[in-house]
């Protein structure tokens, strides 16, 4: 199965800063259609899990433009510019290229 | 608006079966894919399986023959059954829509239901 590695378990940042969360896959997530099957999710206590990004860089409806997905092949990044108080949460990457679909271990953004 | 809601017992005894229901409103489960995902204490997430618009299923091999996902289209619900549970199955269980064509991601999630396996 494909392993996704999110090296940072926690990141401590201050509101207004920019942060990048990385996700490395054990094999390329590029499909023959030219798209990467990598998505990003946000989990906040008391809220439903929110999909932020799919196909590595496409923002889902209603997601603020400060959330930016990038990367290709096996290396992917979720960047958040000008972090807002509501962005302190856990972030996961997920690959849906091959079954079983697998998640990264999660990265928790914490207030510095 | 698409909404999903999990329901089921919060406590299950070891060796018994865990049964959960996902009730969907705002969208028919005869379209798209519908999955179960769980989050263990410590935050590890695991995709468990899905049932498709046609009723076909796909499961995570890690769950071997313990898992079954079924549906009742008349009630717009789908179900998870996990047999022979152990304490390692203690987790928060989520149902979600996806990953289906063309985006292949989970776009709507339930709130999750915490299930503890304990005698």
């Amino acid at each position: 199965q494909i392993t996704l590695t999110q090296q940072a378990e926690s990141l401590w940042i201050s509101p207004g800063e920019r942060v990048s969360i990385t996700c490395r896959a054990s094999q390329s997530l590029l499909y023959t259609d030219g798209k990467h099957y990598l998505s990003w999710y946000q989990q906040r206590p008391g809220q439903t899990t929110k999909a932020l990004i799919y196909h590595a860089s496409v923002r889902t409806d209603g997601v603020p433009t400060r959330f930016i997905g990038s990367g290709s092949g096996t290396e992917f990044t979720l960047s958040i510019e000008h972090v807002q108080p509501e962005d302190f949460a856990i972030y996961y990457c997920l690959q849906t290229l091959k079954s079983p679909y697998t998640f990264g271990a999660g990265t928790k953004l914490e207030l510095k | 608006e698409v909404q999903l809601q999990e329901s089921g017992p919060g406590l299950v005894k070891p060796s018994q079966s865990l049964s959960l229901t996902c009730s969907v409103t705002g969208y028919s489960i005869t379209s798209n894919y519908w999955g179960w995902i769980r989050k263990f204490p410590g935050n590890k997430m695991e995709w468990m399986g899905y049932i498709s618009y046609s009723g076909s299923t796909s499961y995570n091999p890690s769950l071997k023959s313990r898992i079954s996902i079924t549906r009742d289209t008349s009630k717009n619900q789908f179900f998870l059954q996990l047999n022979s549970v152990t304490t390692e199955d203690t987790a928060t269980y989520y149902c979600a829509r996806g990953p289906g064509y063309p985006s292949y991601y989970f776009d709507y999630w339930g709130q999750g239901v915490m299930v503890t396996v304990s005698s």
Side-chain angles (χ1 to χ4, degrees):
Chain A
Q1 68 179 38
I2 298 175
T3 300
L4 296 184
T5 301
Q6 290 181 246
Q7 286 191 320
E9 186 174 332
S10 295
L11 291 171
W12 284 266
I13 58 170
S14 299
E17 292 184 341
R18 184 180 191 275
V19 65
S20 292
I21 300 169
T22 60
C23 176
R24 178 178 293 115
S26 58
Q27 64 186 81
S28 175
L29 300 183
L30 178 64
Y31 189 51
T32 54
D33 61 4
K35 297 173 183 175
H36 291 86
Y37 284 67
L38 187 284
S39 47
W40 288 95
Y41 300 84
Q42 177 193 63
Q43 283 194 338
R44 296 165 57 193
Q47 307 279 323
T48 58
T49 301
K50 185 176 183 180
L52 301 173
I53 302 285
Y54 66 95
H55 287 158
S57 62
V58 181
R59 218 175 280 116
T60 65
D61 290 346
V63 170
T65 55
R66 65 179 182 273
F67 290 92
I68 301 167
S70 62
S72 63
T74 62
E75 300 277 339
F76 301 91
T77 302
L78 173 68
S79 299
I80 311 172
E81 298 187 335
H82 307 298
V83 169
Q84 301 298 301
E86 62 267 28
D87 300 338
F88 289 93
I90 302 175
Y91 294 85
Y92 293 92
C93 53
L94 164 72
Q95 69 82 18
T96 51
L97 180 69
K98 290 183 182 177
S99 182
Y101 309 132
T102 48
F103 288 86
T107 298
K108 187 174 184 179
L109 288 193
E110 301 198 72
L111 185 61
K112 188 189 294 181
Chain B
E1 182 186 3
V2 181
Q3 292 188 321
L4 296 89
Q5 180 66 58
E6 306 89 349
S7 59
L11 181 64
V12 181
K13 288 182 166 45
S15 80
Q16 294 189 342
S17 293
L18 180 163
S19 295
L20 298 176
T21 297
C22 182
S23 300
V24 180
T25 56
Y27 197 88
S28 172
I29 64 169
T30 58
S31 296
N32 219 303
Y33 289 73
W34 304 89
W36 287 97
I37 294 155
R38 62 182 177 175
K39 180 176 178 178
F40 298 101
N43 293 334
K44 177 185 173 184
M45 297 274 281
E46 179 180 62
W47 170 74
M48 301 180 72
Y50 68 65
I51 186 163
S52 77
Y53 55 90
S54 67
S56 63
T57 55
S58 177
Y59 301 131
N60 192 321
S62 70
L63 298 167
K64 298 179 183 177
S65 56
R66 295 200 297 138
I67 187 173
S68 177
I69 299 175
T70 57
R71 66 179 183 172
D72 183 338
T73 57
S74 68
K75 294 182 178 179
N76 218 38
Q77 295 175 327
F78 63 104
F79 312 101
L80 170 70
Q81 181 170 319
L82 187 65
N83 300 322
S84 305
V85 297
T86 71
T87 55
E88 294 188 352
D89 294 309
T90 293
T92 298
Y93 288 77
Y94 300 91
C95 57
R97 188 177 79 169
Y101 178 86
S103 320
Y104 296 100
Y105 72 105
F106 294 99
D107 54 0
Y108 291 95
W109 294 61
Q111 286 274 9
V113 59
M114 187 178 298
V115 178
T116 300
V117 179
S118 174
S119 54

